[in-house]
Amino acid sequence: MLIDTHAHLNYEDLYGDTDTLLAEIRDAGVGIVVNVGWNYDSSALAARQAAEHRGIYFAAGFHPSNLADLREGDYDRIAALLRAEKGIAVGEIGLDYHYEGTDEAAQKRAFAAQLELADTLGLPAIIHSRDAAADTLQLLKDNRGKLAHGGVMHCFSGSPETAKEYLKLGLYISFAGPVTFKNARRLDEVAKIVPADRILAETDSPYLAPEPFRGTRNTPKNVVKVYEKLAALRGEETEALAERIEQNARALFTKLGEETL
């Protein structure tokens, strides 16, 4: 069974009929999808989709580029969502300095606050980092006491050296479509060095479709291409890697149940 550990099925206007989409995902061999929020409304929708459909679990939190949506009391509302049976992580949270005019201080405050929320709830964190590698690593080091329940660097895009630092903090490394790209030499090296018990795979749908679908709208059914590329890079069989990643996902996301799509 394949697990897509990070997707955004909560873009309803992009995906249309959920039942049809989930049938396509299931037919591709995917059994579980982690549906991830980026603000309160998207998190609430992810929670509702998880409640209504087998095999969907959810994460809730505020993405660093969506902090303009944050209102007083939202962290309490996020916590209330995550007390549901299928609420498995706080995320996605982190730092993103990609856009001009980013309020870096506000992002750091929100990141630290949501790491504390994850610790309070006894849940892992799903961590986003773009153009902010040094600050992300330093903030995580400064808050390592809040990582007792683990976390994952989602859609990892950094260097082998940076990956090793995250691994020292006990974090998992998750690979998405970019690991399949022809120019992904640095990611190729990272994929080879991540220990077997720390590797995860995802699509980050609807973004970053893997080869040979690059440039199209991504869906969790394409996660098989990520598994295949990771297995090839690591000299493993895809089926064996899938079993290992399922074990890892269950070790990190301890609220994952047995139901599948």
Side-chain angles (χ1 to χ4, degrees):
M1 179 183 72
L2 305 180
I3 296 180
D4 184 350
T5 63
H6 191 114
H8 302 286
L9 299 181
N10 37 359
Y11 279 105
E12 285 187 309
D13 56 333
L14 292 182
Y15 285 119
D17 180 66
T18 302
D19 289 334
T20 300
L21 173 67
L22 294 182
E24 293 175 352
I25 297 168
R26 182 175 60 248
D27 290 346
V30 180
I32 289 175
V33 177
V34 180
N35 196 19
V36 182
W38 58 87
N39 60 14
Y40 177 75
D41 288 344
S42 63
S43 296
L45 177 54
R48 188 169 78 244
Q49 290 172 316
E52 293 174 350
H53 299 281
R54 293 179 55 83
I56 299 180
Y57 297 81
F58 78 95
F62 273 81
H63 186 287
S65 296
N66 293 94
L67 296 181
D69 300 334
L70 184 63
R71 299 291 181 265
E72 184 176 353
D74 273 350
Y75 290 151
D76 290 336
R77 287 187 277 273
I78 291 288
L81 291 175
L82 287 169
R83 292 188 180 97
E85 181 180 2
K86 297 174 80 175
I88 66 169
V90 174
E92 64 186 279
I93 65 176
L95 301 177
D96 192 321
Y97 296 169
H98 182 70
Y99 299 104
E100 188 174 346
T102 293
D103 187 339
E104 297 179 6
Q107 288 196 9
K108 291 176 184 177
R109 289 193 298 271
F111 190 10
Q114 291 181 96
L115 287 173
E116 183 171 355
L117 178 62
D119 187 43
T120 299
L121 293 172
L123 294 175
I126 296 175
I127 300 165
H128 169 103
S129 180
R130 181 164 65 156
D131 297 342
D135 281 358
T136 301
L137 180 58
Q138 188 59 54
L139 191 145
L140 288 168
K141 287 181 176 179
D142 292 344
N143 290 272
R144 69 176 68 219
K146 300 172 185 175
L147 297 173
H149 304 283
V152 54
M153 299 306 301
H154 113 85
C155 193
F156 185 77
S157 61
S159 67
E161 293 73 25
T162 300
K164 289 175 183 177
E165 292 299 314
Y166 289 136
L167 290 166
K168 289 177 185 177
L169 291 170
L171 300 173
Y172 290 73
I173 304 293
S174 183
F175 296 89
V179 76
T180 71
F181 298 169
K182 293 180 176 64
N183 60 350
R185 296 183 187 87
R186 188 168 67 169
L187 274 182
D188 289 355
E189 293 305 310
V190 178
K192 295 173 185 177
I193 67 166
V194 173
D197 62 351
R198 298 286 192 84
I199 190 169
L200 294 172
E202 62 173 274
T203 59
D204 200 17
S205 298
Y207 310 109
L208 298 172
E211 296 289 357
F213 309 113
R214 189 173 182 180
T216 67
R217 186 193 65 198
N218 203 6
T219 90
K221 70 180 182 181
N222 294 334
V223 77
V224 64
K225 297 300 182 183
V226 179
Y227 279 80
E228 289 172 350
K229 182 59 180 288
L230 289 173
L233 289 169
R234 295 167 66 86
E236 302 175 16
E237 295 295 327
T238 302
E239 184 175 330
L241 180 62
E243 290 177 1
R244 178 75 255 188
I245 287 177
E246 181 179 355
Q247 293 171 13
N248 294 345
R250 293 188 181 282
L252 176 63
F253 303 123
T254 58
K255 290 174 70 178
L256 274 181
E258 295 301 322
E259 70 169 39
T260 59
L261 293 172

